[in-house]
Each structure stands twice: as structure tokens, then as C-alpha cells.
């Protein structure tokens, strides 16, 4: 009952505030411009003061929409959309801080089937918050760097097929929580014709209500494969920068600014964010050392030591030049990516893009 009273109080206060604002506009008189001055130079929005019946109706509609949105926000805060999916929000709980998460002996039995299905402990994933905190392994100097406010916006593209819903949504929550709002243009979820029912209406309903207007879902009508799915995400993107990620990642604070800054300096750069590992059995975050990506004579991509000049500089915050890449995490200027021909849509060999994009760039 206390929660219900709080909701009613919030709604009443907002209604009073908006109604007061409408009355203020209705009584406002236009400002008279001095001789020789342009009216719009003095008050560019002053035409609002000349409200007609149509104008008042528009404002009333806006008020009703605002109240409807407010009701939805309050409902989410009190009940949580994730509860209906059996998932958890908030920054506490199991796996907090990137530490290993555990199950009880009874839960372990229930987890066996899903683990075999997904290749990771999806049952345990449902017990871990969508907003859990993870460690920040950046070098100290990286945390001290400052970046301009005019960085370009990024469209984050996640590709998935029959991924566990909790893992996809944790990727989305993590991206929203750790990407500055003014830099995040949108998040695009590309479903490569999944079979799982929870990835259809439940997924769309959740993201549409939880992040209205921010998250788009693109669905392939038949299984296209990883490369063509990425291209579909690129087609749907509207941001100046596009970031391509597997839908089982988590971001740390400060990840976006250095990436966008490097591309702003030179649009022909393709950036590979430094990644750590999330263990498949307990979701512990495991730190990886800085490395570059190369490939063997068999054209198999592998981690290699950074070049000698990087080591000689003695500054771990500097970027590492690399001849190859890994496809699960890369960021590129959207137009430049199109200019070099995107990725070969006929590439069906696992890891083939690791070599292809490096050669093209």
C-alpha cells in the first residue's frame, strides 16, 4: 500500500507541475522587439506564447503521454520488467565485481541441461544480475586520460542466434550502463533466425519497454551466418561509428571514449577494444594481458606479443598496432567500412574475417 501511495503522489505532483507550465504558457505575452531587431533574434521560441486551441490540444496530448510514460517508469522501479522473465536487475548479487558465481547442489542438478545446450552455464547466468559490476583492469594512465566532448556517436551491434536471453540482456545493460548517453546512438540486436521462443516476443517487449527508442531488433528471415548477419546490422545502423560485438560481452567504464577518439583522429582506423575473458562455468572475469593479433602459416588467428616499439615506449595506455583482428569485437567508421567493401558475405570459414579485414585495411 505504501508503494501505491508513493506512485499516486508522484503522478499528482507531475500533473500539477505540467499543468502549471501549461497555464504559464497560456498567459505569457509575446515580447515586443525593439526597432530594427528581429523578433526571432530576441525570443526564438516566443511563438509558443501565441497558443491556439490546436496548440493547447497538442500540449494536453504531450502531458498525457508524459504521465503514461511516468506510470511505466514508476512501475518498472517498483516491480522490474526483468522479474517476469525470471531475471534480476541491480548491482549486487552473485558474480558481483566479476567474482566467480556459484550454485547450490540442488541448483547444480538443474543447470546440467542448459549448460550442455548453450556451452556455458546459462542457468547460473539467470541468477546473476543484468547490471552486475565487473573489475576495471585498465592501466592507471588510461583512467587519467581526458577526451573531448565532441566525439562521434556509436551504434553498437550485437549478433546472436539461440543465445541465452539473460546473456543477451546483460550485454545490452552493460553497454547502456557504461557508454555515455550522448555517445550511444543506438543498440541493434541482429537475430540470425533463432528458434528459441524467449528470443522473440519476450525479448522485444522487454527492450522496447526498458529502453524505448534506443534498442532495435533486426530479424533475419532465414539463417544467414555470422558475416551476413553483421552486414544486416551495419545496414540498420545510423551512427557515424559502428561497433560489432558478440552478444555475450560486458563493458567496463571508459571503454568508449578512447575507441571513438582514435577513429575521430583517423577515420581509416579499425579499433579492437582490449578484451578480458568471462569464464563459461562461473562467469568470473579473468584479466588478459595486452596483446596483438597475428596469424600462422595455416592462416589461424592467434594472440602475439605487441611490437618492439610499443614495449620500448613504456606506456601501456598507447594503442597496439596489429596485422590481424578477432571478429567478436571491433569498431569502425560506418562509411569507411562500406568503402572497403564490408566483409565478404560468402565467407563461411570460422575466423576468416580475422585475416580479411586486416588485409583490406
Amino acid at each position: 500500500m505504501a508503494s501505491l501511495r508513493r506512485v499516486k503522489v508522484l503522478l499528482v505532483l507531475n500533473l500539477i507541475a505540467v499543468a502549471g507550465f501549461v497555464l504559464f504558457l497560456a498567459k505569457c505575452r509575446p515580447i515586443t522587439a525593439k526597432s530594427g531587431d528581429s523578433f526571432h533574434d530576441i525570443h526564438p521560441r516566443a511563438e509558443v506564447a501565441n497558443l491556439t486551441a490546436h496548440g493547447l490540444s497538442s500540449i494536453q496530448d504531450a502531458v498525457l503521454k508524459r504521465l503514461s510514460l511516468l506510470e511505466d517508469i514508476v512501475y518498472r522501479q517498483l516491480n522490474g520488467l526483468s522479474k517476469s522473465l525470471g531475471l534480476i536487475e541491480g548491482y549486487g548479487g552473485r558474480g558481483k565485481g566479476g567474482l566467480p558465481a556459484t550454485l547450490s547442489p540442488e541448483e547444480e542438478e538443474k543447470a546440467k541441461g542448459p549448460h550442455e545446450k548453450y556451452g556455458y552455464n546459462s542457468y547460473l547466468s539467470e541468477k546473476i544480475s543484468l547490471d552486475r559490476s565487473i573489475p576495471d583492469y585498465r592501466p592507471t594512465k588510461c583512467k587519467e586520460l581526458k577526451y573531448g566532448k565532441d566525439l562521434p556517436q556509436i551504434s553498437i551491434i550485437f549478433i546472436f542466434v539461440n543465445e541465452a536471453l539473460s546473456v543477451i540482456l546483460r550485454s545490452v545493460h552493460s553497454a547502456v550502463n557504461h557508454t555515455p548517453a550522448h555517445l550511444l546512438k543506438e543498440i541493434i540486436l541482429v537475430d540470425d533466425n533463432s528458434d528459441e521462443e524467449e528470443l522473440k516476443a519476450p525479448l522485444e517487449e522487454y527492450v522496447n519497454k526498458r529502453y524505448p527508442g534506443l534498442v532495435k531488433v533486426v530479424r533475419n528471415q532465414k539463417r544467414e551466418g555470422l558475416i551476413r548477419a553483421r552486414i544486416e546490422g551495419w545496414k540498420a545502423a545510423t551512427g557515424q561509428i559502428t561497433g560489432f560485438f558478440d552478444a555475450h560481452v560486458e563493458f567496463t567504464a571508459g571503454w568508449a571514449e578512447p575507441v571513438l577518439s582514435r577513429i575521430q583522429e583517423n577515420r581509416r582506423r579499425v579499433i579492437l577494444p582490449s578484451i578480458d575473458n568471462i569464464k563459461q562455468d562461473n562467469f568470473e572475469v579473468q584479466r588478459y594481458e595486452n596483446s596483438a593479433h597475428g596469424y600462422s602459416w595455416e592462416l589461424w588467428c592467434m594472440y602475439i606479443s605487441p611490437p618492439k616499439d610499443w614495449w620500448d615506449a613504456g606506456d601501456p595506455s598507447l594503442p597496439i598496432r596489429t596485422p590481424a583482428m578477432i571478429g567478436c569485437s571491433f569498431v569502425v567508421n560506418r562509411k569507411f567500412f562500406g568503402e572497403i567493401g564490408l566483409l565478404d558475405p560468402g565467407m563461411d570459414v570460422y575466423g576468416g574475417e580475422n585475416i580479411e579485414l586486416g588485409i583490406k585495411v
Side-chain angles (χ1 to χ4, degrees):
M1 292 301 293
S3 296
L4 185 59
R5 284 198 298 272
R6 187 165 59 204
V7 172
K8 290 181 178 179
V9 169
L10 282 171
L11 291 174
V12 170
L13 289 176
N14 270 266
L15 183 58
I16 292 172
V18 177
F21 180 70
V22 172
L23 288 173
F24 170 77
L25 286 177
K27 292 184 177 181
C28 234
R29 288 192 176 88
I31 298 174
T32 304
K34 295 179 181 178
S35 177
D37 288 335
S38 164
F39 178 82
H40 288 285
D41 287 340
I42 295 175
H43 200 309
R45 296 180 185 268
E47 64 269 21
V48 176
N50 263 338
L51 290 171
T52 62
H54 176 73
L56 281 170
S57 176
S58 297
I59 292 176
Q60 289 169 350
D61 290 341
V63 171
L64 292 175
K65 288 182 70 174
R66 176 177 171 80
L67 288 174
S68 176
L69 181 61
L70 180 64
E71 282 183 302
D72 194 43
I73 292 172
V74 173
Y75 175 81
R76 285 204 311 266
Q77 292 299 321
L78 296 177
N79 299 281
L81 282 170
S82 58
K83 284 187 177 180
S84 62
L85 300 175
L87 303 178
I88 305 165
E89 296 187 40
Y91 291 93
R94 305 186 210 189
K96 177 183 177 182
L99 295 174
T102 58
L103 294 171
S104 68
E106 294 79 13
E107 290 174 325
E108 288 284 1
E109 284 299 314
K110 297 177 182 177
K112 288 182 179 178
H115 196 302
E116 293 175 1
K117 178 179 179 179
Y118 291 106
Y120 51 76
N121 199 336
S122 61
Y123 183 88
L124 175 59
S125 175
E126 294 175 358
K127 310 301 178 185
I128 298 173
S129 173
L130 301 177
D131 300 300
R132 75 151 175 175
S133 58
I134 60 174
D136 186 349
Y137 287 134
R138 290 176 298 162
T140 301
K141 189 171 180 180
C142 286
K143 301 175 185 179
E144 297 171 349
L145 294 173
K146 305 296 181 184
Y147 300 95
K149 296 182 179 180
D150 61 339
L151 295 173
Q153 289 186 312
I154 185 171
S155 296
I156 294 178
I157 301 168
F158 290 120
I159 311 299
F160 69 91
V161 55
N162 292 332
E163 193 93 56
L165 178 60
S166 62
V167 170
I168 295 174
L169 293 183
R170 190 173 299 109
S171 300
V172 172
H173 275 246
S174 179
V176 173
N177 292 343
H178 296 116
T179 307
H182 70 286
L183 299 179
L184 182 56
K185 176 68 173 180
E186 64 206 349
I187 294 175
I188 299 172
L189 301 177
V190 183
D191 173 16
D192 195 20
N193 200 233
S194 296
D195 304 315
E196 297 292 330
E197 286 300 322
E198 67 176 5
L199 301 181
K200 297 177 182 177
L203 170 63
E204 288 208 38
E205 182 179 350
Y206 179 87
V207 296
N208 288 340
K209 289 185 176 180
R210 186 67 176 80
Y211 300 113
L214 181 63
V215 180
K216 303 176 183 176
V217 180
V218 175
R219 298 196 185 272
N220 291 337
Q221 297 306 305
K222 63 184 181 69
R223 190 70 50 81
E224 296 288 355
L226 181 60
I227 301 303
R228 288 188 290 275
R230 286 191 183 127
I231 293 173
E232 289 303 312
W234 177 84
K235 290 177 181 177
T238 60
Q240 185 179 346
I241 309 298
T242 46
F244 297 85
F245 300 92
D246 288 351
H248 41 255
V249 300
E250 295 178 55
F251 297 82
T252 55
W255 80 273
E257 293 89 335
V259 170
L260 299 176
S261 177
R262 299 289 182 198
I263 298 178
Q264 187 181 51
E265 292 169 358
N266 183 347
R267 67 186 290 271
R268 297 174 64 85
R269 288 174 176 159
V270 175
I271 305 297
L272 316 177
S274 179
I275 62 172
D276 297 303
N277 182 46
I278 301 173
K279 293 186 178 180
Q280 62 185 18
D281 295 324
N282 58 20
F283 288 82
E284 177 186 5
V285 178
Q286 178 184 28
R287 184 177 182 273
Y288 276 1
E289 295 297 330
N290 289 324
S291 62
H293 304 283
Y295 43 90
S296 65
W297 285 109
E298 291 80 18
L299 299 184
W300 187 257
C301 188
M302 59 186 181
Y303 290 111
I304 62 174
S305 177
K308 184 178 182 298
D309 59 353
W310 186 85
W311 288 111
D312 290 343
D315 183 355
S317 71
L318 292 176
I320 301 170
R321 289 179 64 85
T322 179
M325 59 169 281
I326 53 174
C328 65
S329 170
F330 69 96
V331 184
V332 59
N333 177 284
R334 185 184 181 280
K335 288 186 177 179
F336 173 64
F337 195 34
E339 290 167 8
I340 61 175
L342 305 172
L343 295 167
D344 181 359
M347 180 67 71
D348 293 322
V349 179
Y350 173 79
E353 75 276 19
N354 301 348
I355 313 300
E356 178 198 356
L357 190 55
I359 292 173
K360 281 183 174 179
V361 175

